[in-house]
Amino acid sequence: MEAAYPGLQVLLANNLMMAYNQAEAGQPSFAFVEDGFTKLPEFEMMLALFTALDVRWVAVMDEATSTPARNSSPLLNVGAGIFELTKSDSPRQFVQYFDMMIKAPRKNAPARAPLKSAAGNTDFKKIILIGSSTGGVEALRNVLVGFPIQCPPTLIVQHTGKSFGSGLVSLLDRICPAKVVAADDNVPLQTGHVYIAAGQPRHLGVTPRKPYRLRMKEGPNISGHTPSVDALFASAVPFAKDVVAAILTGMGQDGAKSMLELRNAGATTFAQDEKSSVVYGMPRVAWEIGAAQKQVPLARMAGAILQACKT
């Protein structure tokens, strides 16, 4: 194939982590992805990276054992413009798809955040707390690109595999105006900073008195997860009136119980609505138990959160 396309570089990866690292470093124009990878929960990281870099991709299925890619994961039903090939397809069919991807116009140049200011003050009125799980990587991308460079301090717990936490931070920092960093213990909260706990063996929380600092604590799973959204939300109950909290798409009920405590203590609370959620689990529970004051479509979530921070 390289001979037919001068200048073509082909990269091979036998696991999802390797594929992610190669895609992030090489920024390919297109990718062939074995269908087994699309069934892994962490594949949503690849989807978000492909979207950010405008990478076209093809799912290659084993005809004898695989179900169609679109039926194997709910993530693939949300804006994943893919083709599906089987391993029995002829080389000519592969070449046809290859030509199709080469000739198709790219949507946009890869998204990149503007230059970021290193300044961040500790004098702020509100703190933003966000919890998300399945489908949350893309949801976070949509929310955070709508935040200004000097956004209120934002703390996020995202359920993901332990090897993908640093990749999530790097991806979101690439495309978001604010500075996105991995959560670490005893770090003072600053405007213009987003702190993410994902794939870490510790729970994320906030110290109860000003000046607020991150608190990372080891311990058993809470609501089935480490880090846990419930742990994050519970830590902020003592100063709930200074908190705006949101639960995004995800499976299970992590975050709902402590969001109710936050709301009862004076916080402003939101849940992503069913139509825009990849998995309407966590936000559904938050809404049904009265933890969320309002359901908000993903496209309007950033605006709703920022507006609430002004009151």
Side-chain angles (χ1 to χ4, degrees), residues 71 100 129 138 162 180 182 197 200 208 220 223 234 243 296:
N71 295 329
M100 190 184 306
L129 307 180
E138 182 65 13
K162 63 181 180 179
V180 181
Q200 298 186 32
S223 300
V243 170
V296 181

Side-chain angles (χ1 to χ4, degrees), residues 121-127 153 186-190 206-214 235-236 238-243:
N121 66 68
T122 56
D123 180 22
F124 42 80
K125 295 181 178 179
K126 298 283 186 177
I127 296 173
N186 206 35
V187 173
L189 302 192
Q190 298 183 72
V206 189
T207 56
R209 296 180 182 85
K210 294 182 178 180
Y212 298 124
R213 291 177 174 269
L214 299 184
S235 72
F239 53 94
K241 292 181 180 179
D242 297 330
V243 170

Side-chain angles (χ1 to χ4, degrees), residues 127-241:
I127 296 173
I128 299 170
L129 307 180
I130 300 176
S132 52
S133 186
T134 306
V137 174
E138 182 65 13
L140 290 173
R141 191 181 73 86
N142 276 273
V143 171
L144 294 181
V145 294
F147 280 15
I149 192 168
Q150 286 295 326
C151 66
T154 301
L155 285 65
I156 296 172
V157 167
Q158 164 67 41
H159 300 159
T160 191
K162 63 181 180 179
S163 299
F164 285 84
S166 60
L168 175 62
V169 171
S170 175
L171 171 63
L172 293 177
D173 190 53
R174 170 198 291 271
I175 61 179
C176 299
K179 179 64 178 174
V180 181
V181 298
D184 202 0
D185 192 44
N186 206 35
V187 173
L189 302 192
Q190 298 183 72
T191 59
H193 287 66
V194 177
Y195 307 93
I196 295 185
Q200 298 186 32
R202 299 180 294 174
H203 294 293
L204 170 63
V206 189
T207 56
R209 296 180 182 85
K210 294 182 178 180
Y212 298 124
R213 291 177 174 269
L214 299 184
R215 181 182 63 195
M216 306 297 294
K217 293 181 65 176
E218 295 183 355
N221 285 354
I222 298 174
S223 300
H225 297 279
T226 300
S228 164
V229 182
D230 265 320
L232 172 62
F233 287 179
S235 72
V237 171
F239 53 94
K241 292 181 180 179

Side-chain angles (χ1 to χ4, degrees), residues 92-104:
R92 177 175 295 182
Q93 288 172 297
F94 275 84
V95 171
Q96 288 175 342
Y97 278 104
F98 195 72
D99 283 336
M100 190 184 306
M101 289 189 289
I102 288 177
K103 295 173 182 177

